[in-house]
Amino acid sequence: MPRNEETVTTKLQRIAEKARNEPNCQFTSLFHLMTVEMLWGCFDALRNHAASGIDGVTKQQYENNLLENLQQLVDKLHRMAYIPQPVQRVYIPKPGTDKLRPLGIPALEDKLVQAGLVKILQAIYEQDFIDDSYGFRPGKSCHDALRALSQTVENRPINHIVEADIKGFFDTVDQEQLMAFLAHRIADKRVLRYIKRFLKAGIVEDGQFKASETGTPQGGVISPLLANLYLHYSLDLWMTRKFAKSCGGVVRMIRYADDFVVCFQQEADAKRFRNELEARLALFGLTLAPEKTQCIEFGPLAVKRARARGEKAVTFDFLGFTHYCTRTRDGKRFRMKRKTIGKRLTAKLKAYRAWLKANRNLPTAEILKRTARKLRGHYGYYGVTDNSRGINLYFYQVQRILHKWLNRRGRRNCCSWAKFALLLARFPLPKPKILVNLF
């Protein structure tokens, strides 16, 4: 790696400091940071076995002549001669269903250029984004969003929740408005021009080119940042600077990409937000997904009122978990707990069953090794405070599915439960464990 990488890092730090200290500053000179050193670091960060885009170039192939390739790329970039290629669209199975999920695969050099632009834009916009925006940001995660939600609902006088989801968000972003938002902070015409080129690069599906008149770049590393930028101006600033100030009680929005919940103390504020939100998003070409959007009573008062009606308090889903009202073990204090969404658990088990079916000819030791890796990954996300039952159920069902398939590989009943227990003693599977404390 070239030795002056620290120089690029230092320049990005200076840009970040200026953006933090001067919130109205427009940056006129940024593109000079797109250097060999910058793109070399972006290349190192690429996954080694990522699928190739429309150009068919893999990371290993590009690396064979890396320095010369990067020098040529930088030369084209600064001559404004670089033209992004269309994104290759493929479809992959959607876990737990018969549906297919679209996946966009950019060309390798497009990934590098986008990653470089992300570093520059992040230095500026990380100073602007609100603290309660958690999606696809450095140093923030789903677990941080869940932790913020727990602390708000349990420690503040929250009585109502608005759960919202924007329908087809990444495909419906208005590109002209996005460019206008970028212009608030970015006055370097080369940066703006390349972002617009990526927006307009289009998609190739089954050999046919499709123009991309709306939305953010399919599968591109720049897409999450542009999405956060769009929601920052269309939703976050309106919520924090205008709507929240008009509320009569506590209010807090917690957003992860286009999935967000808003906690309210006052019912009137919650209902007004639900009504005004639709109109606000419509100004920017966005609509709510009605099946994933609701205004509910939630909290200690909700439990009492539901019990008086002979009902249970309503639940809501957020980031893979169903959140519900309950109390501490001694019954003295309100608690909001969470469990894996039932449909999500079913989908993950179906996906594991499908994986086993596709890989049933692997050696038994390899199947167990990969199953252990899948279990650790599941615990890493779903192993959060209060979800012991959810991860234990997943572990139990995975073992049952695994035993069933191993029992099919030889003569009938070749793998009894006793033999299966001996096998697990030799190749143990990781036991369920809470790994993330949300307090």
Side-chain angles (χ1 to χ4, degrees):
M1 183 180 293
R3 288 180 301 173
N4 57 341
E5 184 199 8
E6 288 186 3
T7 304
V8 175
T9 302
T10 302
K11 288 179 179 178
L12 289 173
Q13 289 172 345
R14 285 203 206 100
I15 289 171
E17 185 177 356
K18 186 175 181 66
R20 185 166 52 253
N21 295 332
E22 301 178 38
N24 296 318
C25 174
Q26 279 189 313
F27 290 84
T28 57
S29 180
L30 295 169
F31 202 72
H32 66 278
L33 293 170
M34 296 290 282
T35 62
V36 170
E37 293 78 21
M38 165 80 87
L39 296 180
W40 192 300
C42 296
F43 179 84
D44 283 344
L46 289 178
R47 290 189 297 116
N48 288 329
H49 302 291
S52 57
I54 194 172
D55 58 351
V57 177
T58 66
K59 183 177 181 180
Q60 289 72 25
Q61 292 170 336
Y62 200 82
E63 192 172 21
N64 290 335
N65 200 12
L66 182 58
L67 182 58
E68 184 177 341
N69 286 335
L70 292 178
Q71 288 171 337
Q72 291 176 357
L73 174 58
V74 169
D75 178 63
K76 284 191 291 183
L77 284 169
H78 288 274
R79 288 190 290 109
M80 298 305 294
Y82 184 79
I83 307 296
Q85 299 185 62
V87 171
Q88 179 76 52
R89 177 184 275 175
V90 297
Y91 289 86
I92 59 174
K94 192 173 183 179
T97 72
D98 297 327
K99 299 178 181 178
L100 295 176
R101 174 183 293 163
L103 180 68
I105 308 173
L108 187 136
E109 286 194 334
D110 289 346
K111 294 177 184 177
L112 296 181
V113 177
Q114 286 190 32
L117 290 171
V118 165
K119 286 189 175 185
I120 295 170
L121 295 177
Q122 261 182 357
I124 298 167
Y125 287 107
E126 277 301 308
Q127 321 313 314
D128 293 354
F129 291 156
I130 65 171
D131 289 340
D132 279 326
S133 165
Y134 293 90
F136 311 112
R137 293 182 59 191
K140 290 179 179 283
S141 68
C142 292
H143 292 143
D144 292 323
L146 291 168
R147 189 175 291 111
L149 177 61
S150 286
Q151 292 170 350
T152 303
V153 173
E154 295 197 15
N155 299 327
R156 306 292 297 277
I158 299 302
N159 300 310
H160 291 83
I161 295 280
V162 174
E163 172 197 7
D165 188 273
I166 300 173
K167 187 176 181 179
F169 171 72
F170 287 91
D171 295 327
T172 55
V173 165
D174 185 308
Q175 295 179 357
E176 293 306 315
Q177 295 207 65
L178 174 58
M179 295 305 300
F181 291 153
L182 278 161
H184 290 318
R185 284 293 235 165
I186 310 297
D188 187 322
K189 292 184 178 179
R190 291 182 295 177
V191 171
L192 294 174
R193 196 172 299 170
Y194 272 117
I195 291 174
K196 191 159 191 177
R197 286 183 185 181
F198 277 114
L199 291 172
K200 300 294 185 184
I203 299 161
V204 169
E205 183 177 343
D206 295 329
Q208 298 294 315
F209 175 81
K210 296 181 180 180
S212 50
E213 299 299 331
T214 60
T216 57
Q218 288 260 336
V221 293
I222 200 172
S223 185
L225 189 145
L226 295 179
N228 271 332
L229 175 70
Y230 199 79
L231 288 169
H232 174 71
Y233 285 104
S234 62
L235 175 63
D236 297 354
L237 293 183
W238 169 74
M239 177 65 199
T240 55
R241 295 184 181 179
K242 186 177 180 181
F243 190 90
K245 291 182 178 179
S246 70
C247 293
V250 174
V251 56
R252 184 180 186 182
M253 180 178 73
I254 297 161
R255 179 174 68 80
Y256 192 93
D258 58 328
D259 191 8
F260 58 98
V261 293
V262 191
C263 307
F264 290 94
Q265 181 177 1
Q266 303 289 345
E267 180 180 13
D269 292 332
K271 289 183 175 179
R272 182 167 58 90
F273 174 78
R274 172 64 182 85
N275 293 332
E276 293 186 17
L277 176 63
E278 207 148 3
R280 173 66 184 181
L281 293 178
L283 296 174
F284 305 95
L286 304 175
T287 57
L288 291 170
E291 71 281 3
K292 296 181 181 179
T293 302
Q294 60 175 341
C295 178
I296 64 171
E297 192 174 39
F298 194 91
L301 296 180
V303 174
K304 294 178 182 177
R305 290 169 183 169
R307 189 178 296 131
R309 297 191 301 267
E311 301 171 355
K312 287 186 177 180
V314 182
T315 65
F316 70 93
D317 295 340
F318 184 55
L319 298 181
F321 295 91
T322 296
H323 297 76
Y324 59 96
C325 297
T326 185
R327 302 195 70 79
T328 53
R329 289 184 180 180
D330 59 12
K332 294 181 179 179
R333 188 170 61 86
F334 167 78
R335 281 289 318 280
M336 179 188 76
K337 294 187 179 181
R338 66 211 57 78
K339 60 183 179 180
T340 309
I341 294 174
K343 289 183 179 179
R344 192 70 61 88
L345 180 62
T346 300
K348 293 222 34 171
L349 291 170
K350 284 185 178 179
Y352 177 69
R353 189 180 287 108
W355 175 81
L356 265 182
K357 183 178 180 181
N359 294 274
R360 58 185 179 274
N361 293 325
L362 286 175
T364 300
E366 183 64 20
I367 288 177
L368 287 162
K369 179 181 176 182
R370 295 195 191 183
T371 296
R373 192 156 57 231
K374 290 177 183 294
L375 286 168
R376 281 191 288 268
H378 187 84
Y379 304 154
Y381 184 78
Y382 289 99
V384 303
T385 305
D386 301 319
N387 196 34
S388 294
R389 186 174 180 182
I391 58 175
N392 273 287
L393 180 58
Y394 182 74
F395 175 68
Y396 171 74
Q397 293 292 354
V398 162
Q399 286 188 103
R400 287 180 61 85
I401 295 168
L402 179 60
H403 173 257
K404 179 180 177 180
W405 276 96
L406 291 179
N407 207 20
R408 284 181 173 183
R409 301 212 312 173
R411 66 185 184 279
R412 189 168 183 175
N413 295 325
C414 65
C415 184
S416 64
W417 280 106
K419 289 181 179 179
F420 185 61
L422 291 174
L423 188 63
L424 292 184
R426 186 177 177 188
F427 302 102
L429 297 176
K431 296 291 193 299
K433 185 178 180 181
I434 297 297
L435 298 173
V436 181
N437 184 357
L438 296 182
F439 296 101

